[in-house]
């Protein structure tokens, strides 16, 4: 399996309602894209406010394998979400890694 982690930093136009709209869009991807084993997304509620650096929304997707992860990026549902970020996003951090068996 592979984990895909994304942390979003929005511009100053973002509202709490718009962030929740993005969360709902992200959660819907699990039913739209094959190969997703698990998906969580949410607004950052950490109390470590000196460390958030303006990043306010997180996404974690578990894929069944690397091929599913690779197919996710160009998938039309993912591309529609990416397009919806236009005018809202300031920065994003992404990391992908293999999940090792215990």
């Amino acid at each position: 399996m592979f984990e895909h982690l994304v942390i979003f930093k929005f511009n100053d136009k973002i509202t709490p309602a718009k962030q929740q709209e993005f969360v709902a869009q992200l959660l819907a991807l699990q039913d739209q894209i094959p190969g997703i084993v698990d998906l969580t997304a949410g607004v950052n509620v950490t109390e470590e406010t000196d460390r958030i650096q303006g990043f306010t929304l997180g996404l974690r997707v578990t894929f069944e394998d690397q091929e599913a992860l690779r197919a996710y990026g160009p998938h039309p549902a993912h591309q529609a979400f990416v397009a919806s970020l236009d005018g809202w996003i300031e920065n994003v951090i992404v990391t992908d890694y293999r999940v090792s068996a215990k």
Side-chain angles (χ1 to χ4, degrees), residues 6 8 11 15-16 19 21 40 45 52 54 66 70-71 92-93 100:
V6 184
F8 300 90
N11 60 32
T15 63
Q19 285 192 91
E21 182 181 319
T40 61
V45 295
I52 64 173
Q66 192 171 23
R70 288 178 178 145
V92 65
I93 296 172
S100 301

Side-chain angles (χ1 to χ4, degrees), residues 4 29 33 36 59 61 63 67-75 78:
H4 174 68
L29 294 178
I33 301 177
I36 294 177
L59 168 69
V61 186
F63 291 95
E67 289 307 311
L69 171 60
R70 288 178 178 145
Y72 168 79
H75 191 281
H78 177 257

Side-chain angles (χ1 to χ4, degrees), residues 13-79:
K13 297 187 299 185
I14 197 73
T15 63
K18 187 64 178 177
Q19 285 192 91
Q20 289 301 329
E21 182 181 319
F22 285 136
V23 168
Q25 286 179 274
L26 288 168
L27 294 174
L29 294 178
Q30 185 165 2
D31 296 328
Q32 300 171 13
I33 301 177
I36 294 177
V37 175
D38 193 32
L39 184 151
T40 61
V43 175
N44 189 353
V45 295
T46 186
E47 294 178 356
E48 296 182 44
T49 56
D50 59 325
R51 299 200 179 270
I52 64 173
Q53 299 178 35
F55 290 88
T56 59
L57 194 149
L59 168 69
R60 182 194 52 79
V61 186
T62 305
F63 291 95
E64 55 191 31
D65 54 31
Q66 192 171 23
E67 289 307 311
L69 171 60
R70 288 178 178 145
Y72 168 79
H75 191 281
H78 177 257
Q79 287 301 307

Side-chain angles (χ1 to χ4, degrees), residues 74-89:
H75 191 281
H78 177 257
Q79 287 301 307
F81 172 74
V82 170
S84 76
L85 293 172
D86 189 41
W88 296 101
I89 201 80

